[in-house]
């Protein structure tokens, strides 16, 4: 039966995805794109009749995916984006205009008359097509993120500047290479032991004609006085504007604060996660060599994302536009 | 109007109810019995009633509750210009509103208790019912933690808090207000309640809170505030002097004192730069998110 074939095919693809996640080693951009593509496939091929069913299926698969690799937060973020897309398309199909007012607010408390429990049970025929189209838009956005961030490079990097970075971030690499086409500047890369990804970053940058110096992590503070800007990437942006970034970033941020050097974080919007530090995760890491650092929002000057530059205190607002509060816990 | 006082005293006898909720409940009762013919008349009467309430209890919470109720009336009256129909809608929505906000303490506790880890040492200030609820939920979640409470003069409210915690089998120590700096190195986090949350994202709370916030900043300890959303108030103090006198002193002190400068204030203002996160029934907010909420409501 063709229906059963489609389902087993879908199941196989999900299993393959989970296995790849567990293996790790892929960049977060690639993970985000493949997650969104898989969610689109689930929407197209799984059996569901109302928005509520679809959301349940996606939430279930989302939980499995985040359990496979908890440190890869982009998977959970993509699931939440798709859930928000489904809610919006459902609201649009119903014809209600208050999709902007999804959040709890004092205003809503005062003016709502009676229980406004949405249970997403109504069936709409064009819903599937609408959701798939919206996910396609999301995929297009994901594909363009690195370019959108790199386009902003010339506003922030000026000639003869000394820029410091740590480890290897594909976003920062593209950012610096884009600026190097028009400006001449010097880059200092902290090697970021023990994996020493800084070495690869330096090789890649120098291949494009950028003058690069590699320094050991211990020299960060000593060299900071000569640095004009610090530009870093991150693994996750947390809801309070803080970062979960590669080990050594907190040191870099403290040194920058001490010398009043601006710290710029290049992070695409799919790295924004509704988690807040202190809830879980970082303390559950029982490691002698922790992989990630927490950088508090006070040490960060600016976030450059594919939608422009923002202050850390504004992150909560961007988050409310990307995800629905009920989806914070999958 | 006499009935109003009767109601207010009734409310104050139920110590578990937040003063803002009590104020809103009494105003709702007042609304039910009000005889005015026009919406403007209704507003005038309500404003007078709120004034009377504030004479009885001049805390920030009553003020914020009153303002919220007035705003609620304005929003509802915009939708239904006819008064008698409007009144029924108001009463129905008012009851719903009261029901929702009586659940808010539970929502706050649910959000906050995950931040308390096993083996944590918590410092809190004076007696707050919301903090009590948070600690209760954490204890119910089988977490082990110890609590330090400041005595909180002049009314020794901290001792009451310690009694309540002891009844929940939570190990608690009462410390002097002056010992906050001394104890700060031992604690892991600070959780306080708030009487009012101001537009800047700062809070107004029992005197001694500002001190605690400054100390926790100096020691790099997280300073969490737990407050329900009806405590958001449209004030923007820039420093301690900016807080209006009617909040700083008790109602009877305001009436009898000759020179207010000689009186001890009972509340202080903590600026948002010292606060790590605010836990409210609207979610976990950074101080900058608070003004957003207020703008959405009042503009």
């Amino acid at each position: 039966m063709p229906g059963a074939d489609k389902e087993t095919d879908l199941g196989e693809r999900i299993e393959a995805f989970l296995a790849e996640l567990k293996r790790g080693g892929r960049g977060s951009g690639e993970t985000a794109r493949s997650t969104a593509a898989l969610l689109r496939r689930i929407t197209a091929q799984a059996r569901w009749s109302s928005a509520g069913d679809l959301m349940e299926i996606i939430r279930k698969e989302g939980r499995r995916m985040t359990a496979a690799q908890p440190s890869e937060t982009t998977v959970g973020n993509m699931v939440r984006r798709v859930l928000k897309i489904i809610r919006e398309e459902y609201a649009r199909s119903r014809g209600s205009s208050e999709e902007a007012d999804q959040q709890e607010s004092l205003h809503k408390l005062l003016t709502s008359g009676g229980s406004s429990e949405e249970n997403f049970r109504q069936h709409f025929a064009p819903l599937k097509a609408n959701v798939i189209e919206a996910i396609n838009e999301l995929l297009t956005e994901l594909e363009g993120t690195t370019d959108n961030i790199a386009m902003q490079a010339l506003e922030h990097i000026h000639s003869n500047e000394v820029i410091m970075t740590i480890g290897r971030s594909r976003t920062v690499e593209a950012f610096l290479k884009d600026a190097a086409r028009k400006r001449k500047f010097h880059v200092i890369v902290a090697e970021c032991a023990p994996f020493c990804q800084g070495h690869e970053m330096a090789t890649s940058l120098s291949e494009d004609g950028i003058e690069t110096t590699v320094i050991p992590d211990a020299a960060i503070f000593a060299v900071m006085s000569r640095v004009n800007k610090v530009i870093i990437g991150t693994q996750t942006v947390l809801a309070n504007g803080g970062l979960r970034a590669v080990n050594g970033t907190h040191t870099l941020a403290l040194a920058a604060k001490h010398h009043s050097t601006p710290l710029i974080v290049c992070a695409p919007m799919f790295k924004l996660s509704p988690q807040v530090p202190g809830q879980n995760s970082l303390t559950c890491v029982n490691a002698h060599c922790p992989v990630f650092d927490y950088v508090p929002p006070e040490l960060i000057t600016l976030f450059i994302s594919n939608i422009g530059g923002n202050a850390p205190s504004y992150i909560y607002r961007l988050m409310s536009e990307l995800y629905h509060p009920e989806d914070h816990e999958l | 109007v006499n009935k109003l006082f009767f109601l207010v005293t009734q409310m104050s006898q139920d110590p578990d109810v937040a003063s803002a909720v009590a104020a809103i409940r009494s105003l709702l009762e007042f609304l039910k019995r009000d005889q005015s013919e026009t919406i403007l008349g209704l507003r005038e009467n309500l404003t007078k009633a709120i004034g009377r309430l504030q004479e009885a209890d001049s805390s920030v919470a009553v003020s914020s509750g009153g303002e919220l109720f007035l705003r609620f009336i304005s929003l509802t009256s915009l939708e239904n210009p006819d008064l008698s129909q409007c009144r029924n809608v108001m009463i129905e929505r008012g009851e719903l509103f009261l029901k929702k906000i009586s659940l808010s303490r539970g929502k706050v506790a649910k959000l906050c208790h995950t931040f308390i880890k096993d083996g944590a040492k918590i410092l809190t200030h004076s007696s707050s019912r919301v903090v009590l609820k948070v600690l209760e939920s954490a204890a119910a979640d089988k977490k082990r933690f110890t609590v330090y409470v400041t005595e909180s003069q002049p009314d020794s409210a901290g001792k009451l808090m310690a009694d309540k915690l002891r009844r929940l089998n939570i190990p608690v120590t009462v410390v002097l207000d002056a010992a906050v700096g001394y104890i700060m190195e031992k604690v892991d986090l600070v959780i306080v309640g708030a009487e009012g949350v101001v537009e800047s994202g700062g809070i107004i709370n029992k005197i001694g809170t500002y001190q605690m916030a400054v100390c926790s900043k100096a020691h790099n300890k997280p300073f969490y505030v737990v407050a329900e959303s009806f405590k958001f108030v449209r004030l923007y103090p820039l420093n301690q002097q900016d807080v209006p006198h009617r909040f700083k002193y008790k109602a009877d002190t305001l009436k009898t004192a000759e020179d207010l400068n000689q009186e001890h204030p009972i509340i202080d203002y903590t600026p948002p730069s010292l606060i790590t996160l605010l836990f409210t029934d609207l979610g976990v907010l950074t101080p900058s998110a608070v003004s957003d909420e207020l703008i959405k409501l009042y503009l």
Side-chain angles (χ1 to χ4, degrees):
Chain A
M1 248 186 2
D5 274 343
K6 261 208 278 184
E7 287 208 357
T8 47
D9 174 56
L10 182 62
E12 273 168 26
R13 279 186 196 267
I14 298 181
E15 293 303 323
F17 183 76
L18 288 173
E20 265 238 55
L21 262 186
K22 284 198 189 125
R23 225 178 305 139
R26 275 193 304 187
S28 40
E30 221 190 293
T31 314
R33 282 192 288 276
S34 40
T35 314
L38 183 67
L39 291 171
R40 181 181 56 186
R41 189 176 284 273
I42 295 179
T43 314
Q45 294 182 342
R47 219 177 286 173
W48 52 276
S49 59
S50 71
D53 291 338
L54 180 60
M55 279 169 43
E56 253 323 296
I57 297 176
I58 292 196
R59 226 176 253 139
K60 195 181 98 195
E61 296 303 332
R63 277 191 286 257
R64 283 180 68 199
M65 292 193 257
T66 42
Q69 184 69 274
S71 67
E72 190 61 70
T73 45
T74 44
V75 173
N77 297 344
M78 286 299 105
V79 174
R80 291 183 187 100
R81 285 293 290 271
V82 170
L83 285 171
K84 180 132 206 267
I85 286 174
I86 298 173
R87 282 171 202 270
E88 278 176 2
E89 291 301 326
Y90 183 78
R92 204 171 295 160
S93 302
R94 277 189 72 195
S96 45
S97 57
E98 33 86 39
E99 35 171 278
D101 202 8
Q102 298 264 2
Q103 314 282 347
E104 276 290 337
S105 72
L106 268 183
H107 184 99
K108 206 168 154 221
L109 255 145
L110 284 186
T111 55
S112 62
S115 65
S116 46
E117 297 282 310
E118 274 283 9
N119 57 4
F120 296 101
R121 287 287 144 215
Q122 268 183 288
H123 175 75
F124 291 110
L127 187 65
K128 188 181 222 166
N130 288 345
V131 172
I132 293 183
E133 202 190 305
I135 300 184
N136 282 336
E137 277 173 30
L138 175 62
L139 274 166
T140 326
E141 184 196 313
L142 289 176
E143 258 144 55
T145 48
T146 317
D147 289 331
N148 282 334
I149 294 180
M151 271 193 322
Q152 301 173 52
L154 283 176
E155 291 166 16
H156 299 279
I157 300 182
H158 309 290
S159 285
N160 292 325
E161 276 197 329
V162 179
I163 314 253
M164 183 182 276
T165 184
I166 186 168
R168 179 174 198 196
S169 158
R170 276 158 259 252
T171 318
V172 176
E173 211 181 303
F175 193 79
L176 293 174
K177 284 183 179 174
D178 196 274
R181 286 188 291 131
K182 295 254 178 81
R183 309 249 156 96
K184 242 187 150 9
F185 53 90
H186 196 112
V187 177
I188 300 180
V189 184
E191 66 180 3
C192 191
F195 302 113
C196 289
Q197 298 225 309
H199 298 175
E200 289 165 31
M201 177 79 153
T203 330
S204 165
L205 287 175
S206 57
E207 270 164 19
D208 257 35
I210 304 178
E211 263 185 62
T212 323
T213 313
V214 178
I215 59 163
D217 299 340
I220 288 178
F221 190 84
V223 177
M224 187 58 76
S225 49
R226 296 163 190 262
V227 174
N228 296 112
K229 291 192 169 78
V230 180
I231 303 183
I232 55 174
T234 177
Q235 198 253 4
T236 311
V237 179
L238 301 166
N240 67 340
L243 301 180
R244 186 184 297 149
V246 75
N247 188 24
T249 314
H250 196 181
T251 317
L252 185 61
L254 286 170
K257 187 83 182 186
H258 184 272
H259 289 90
S260 297
T261 312
L263 177 73
I264 299 176
V265 181
C266 291
M269 290 313 285
F270 63 78
K271 287 194 175 166
L272 192 55
S273 167
Q275 292 169 4
V276 190
Q279 259 183 321
N280 48 21
S281 51
L282 281 176
T283 50
C284 301
V285 176
N286 189 10
H288 298 292
C289 182
V291 186
F292 295 120
D293 253 352
Y294 166 64
V295 182
E298 300 88 58
L299 302 176
I300 304 168
T301 317
L302 185 68
F303 277 100
I304 296 182
S305 72
N306 46 305
I307 56 176
N310 288 301
S313 55
Y314 197 62
I315 291 292
Y316 77 91
R317 187 59 190 263
L318 296 172
M319 209 188 60
S320 70
E321 283 168 21
L322 287 179
Y323 311 122
H324 193 276
E326 278 174 29
D327 300 329
H328 287 343
E329 301 280 327
L330 272 181
Chain B
V1 162
N2 287 331
K3 299 176 204 128
L4 187 69
F5 279 122
F6 169 67
L7 289 162
V8 169
T9 45
Q10 235 193 3
M11 297 309 157
S12 61
Q13 276 159 19
D14 184 1
D16 225 15
V17 174
S19 22
V21 180
I24 294 176
R25 202 176 286 168
S26 4
L27 287 171
L28 195 62
E29 285 301 318
F30 182 83
L31 173 66
K32 285 185 190 159
R33 288 153 216 240
D34 182 62
Q35 307 282 342
S36 38
E37 304 284 308
T38 64
I39 293 186
L40 205 58
L42 177 62
R43 273 187 72 94
E44 264 178 40
N45 288 347
L46 274 174
T47 320
K48 272 189 236 156
I50 293 174
R52 288 283 173 78
L53 275 175
Q54 286 186 325
E55 276 174 36
D57 177 2
S58 73
S59 64
V60 182
V62 171
S63 161
S64 77
E67 235 185 278
L68 206 59
F69 196 77
L70 267 180
R71 183 69 188 161
F72 161 64
I73 298 290
S74 320
L75 284 172
T76 328
S77 62
L78 282 173
E79 292 173 34
N80 311 323
D82 170 38
L83 183 60
S84 45
Q85 196 191 29
C86 185
R87 186 172 281 145
N88 292 335
V89 176
M90 276 190 219
I91 291 175
E92 188 190 317
R93 284 212 195 148
E95 297 286 346
L96 197 66
F97 180 51
L98 267 176
K99 214 185 300 174
K100 273 196 208 165
I101 58 181
S102 50
L103 295 170
S104 40
R105 214 181 272 167
K107 282 193 211 164
V108 177
K110 214 171 84 165
L111 274 177
C112 189
H113 78 258
T114 49
F115 282 71
I116 299 178
K117 303 200 175 53
D118 233 5
K121 298 197 197 65
I122 304 172
L123 175 60
T124 184
H125 185 60
S126 185
S127 175
S128 162
R129 289 167 288 223
V130 196
V131 177
L132 187 63
K133 188 97 204 237
V134 169
L135 297 176
E136 209 182 304
S137 322
D141 212 19
K142 304 272 189 299
K143 301 230 173 98
R144 293 159 300 175
F145 54 90
T146 46
V147 182
Y148 295 94
V149 193
T150 50
E151 205 180 34
S152 181
Q153 298 295 2
D155 54 2
S156 293
K159 298 203 182 139
L160 277 170
M161 181 77 163
D163 283 333
K164 290 187 214 167
L165 286 169
R166 260 181 225 119
R167 259 176 261 148
L168 294 167
N169 285 328
I170 299 175
V172 56
T173 315
V174 179
V175 300
L176 293 172
D177 296 336
V180 168
Y182 169 77
I183 204 93
M184 193 56 77
E185 59 185 34
K186 278 202 223 168
V187 302
D188 295 315
L189 67 152
V190 184
I191 304 182
V192 299
E195 292 193 26
V197 180
V198 296
E199 256 182 274
S200 57
I203 58 164
I204 294 190
N205 199 28
K206 185 81 184 291
I207 189 108
T209 312
Y210 179 45
Q211 226 152 268
M212 198 178 275
V214 174
C215 271
S216 68
K217 186 84 180 187
H219 284 261
N220 250 319
K221 309 280 175 171
F223 186 82
Y224 297 128
V225 174
V226 287
E228 305 99 311
S229 61
F230 53 78
K231 290 182 176 163
F232 285 13
V233 65
R234 279 187 90 186
L235 220 58
Y236 205 116
L238 297 172
N239 53 26
Q240 304 298 333
Q241 306 307 318
D242 265 354
V243 183
H245 281 310
R246 63 179 201 274
F247 297 142
K248 271 201 253 191
Y249 308 101
K250 287 210 152 91
D252 12 2
T253 323
L254 283 169
K255 281 185 234 165
T256 58
E258 288 154 11
D259 183 9
L260 277 177
N261 284 328
Q262 302 289 340
E263 299 295 324
H264 298 299
I266 55 167
I267 51 128
D268 62 22
Y269 163 64
T270 305
S273 50
L274 302 172
I275 301 175
T276 317
L277 285 175
L278 282 123
F279 296 90
T280 69
D281 50 336
L282 305 173
V284 181
L285 303 173
T286 49
S288 41
V290 172
S291 34
D292 221 13
E293 283 301 328
L294 277 167
I295 290 175
K296 273 195 261 180
L297 175 61
Y298 283 106
L299 256 60

